[in-house]
Amino acid sequence: EMKRIWAGESRGTAGAIGPRLPKGDPEVIIGGTSDASFRRAATFGSGWIAGGSDPKGFAELAERARAEWKRQGRDGNPRLLGLAYFSLGPRALEHARAYLSDYYGFLGLQPDMAEGLAMTDPGAIRQALDAYAAGGCDELVCFPCSADLDQVDLLADAAFG
């Protein structure tokens, strides 16, 4: 359905309703860890994204995405993305605990359980970047646990500094 809309197919009296794309379909990245989500990514997507995993978990899930890609007869490899939480600076752990326990509260996550879910040390950032890359990650989305804009500079310093 999306592909027909992007191609400009008419919809009743409304005519074409979707954006006309000059270079074909937009990139569609599909996430999830169920068998169905990997099938959807391989059937309809340009790739797959792991939400909030560590590098080892990412590598294991990425292998499932690649296997399903091949099973569906797709050429090449899927684009593989990861998402990692981070919080840096003097109150890093406090921010990580607060954000992640709020966000994952529906799962019963308590603030003290959030420690392993976010990178809170500059050295951990560099190690994680290397580990995600080794696991086949094409792009890592680093998600801050604090709205403080200084987090961007702290991340850049840790990753490239």
Side-chain angles (χ1 to χ4, degrees):
E1 183 73 10
M2 291 184 299
K3 289 180 183 261
R4 290 195 307 270
I5 290 171
W6 295 330
E9 185 178 290
S10 183
R11 293 288 188 257
T13 58
I17 60 170
R20 293 295 310 253
L21 304 171
K23 296 181 182 179
D25 298 343
E27 186 175 62
V28 175
I29 304 297
I30 297 174
T33 58
S34 69
D35 290 342
S37 66
F38 289 112
R39 272 194 311 276
R40 287 184 200 108
T43 303
F44 303 111
S46 308
W48 172 82
I49 185 170
S53 67
D54 64 10
K56 183 178 184 250
F58 170 85
E60 292 168 0
L61 293 168
E63 185 52 43
R64 288 179 61 193
R66 284 189 288 270
E68 187 61 34
W69 195 264
K70 286 180 180 37
R71 206 173 359 269
Q72 295 297 326
R74 299 284 300 266
D75 291 332
N77 287 304
R79 183 152 179 253
L80 299 172
L81 290 82
L83 182 143
Y85 297 104
F86 78 96
S87 182
L88 297 168
R91 296 175 56 205
L93 192 52
E94 177 185 342
H95 288 287
R97 285 177 174 162
Y99 176 78
L100 292 168
S101 62
D102 272 355
Y103 188 78
Y104 289 110
F106 71 97
L107 294 174
L109 184 76
Q110 301 300 311
D112 61 331
M113 298 166 67
E115 285 186 45
L117 297 177
M119 300 173 290
T120 57
D121 173 78
I125 300 282
R126 186 69 248 163
Q127 288 177 334
L129 293 175
D130 292 341
Y132 277 99
C137 188
D138 297 309
E139 182 176 338
L140 180 64
V141 177
C142 293
F143 196 95
C145 294
S146 167
D148 186 342
L149 291 177
D150 288 341
Q151 290 295 305
V152 176
D153 291 329
L154 292 169
L155 177 64
D157 289 344
F160 308 111

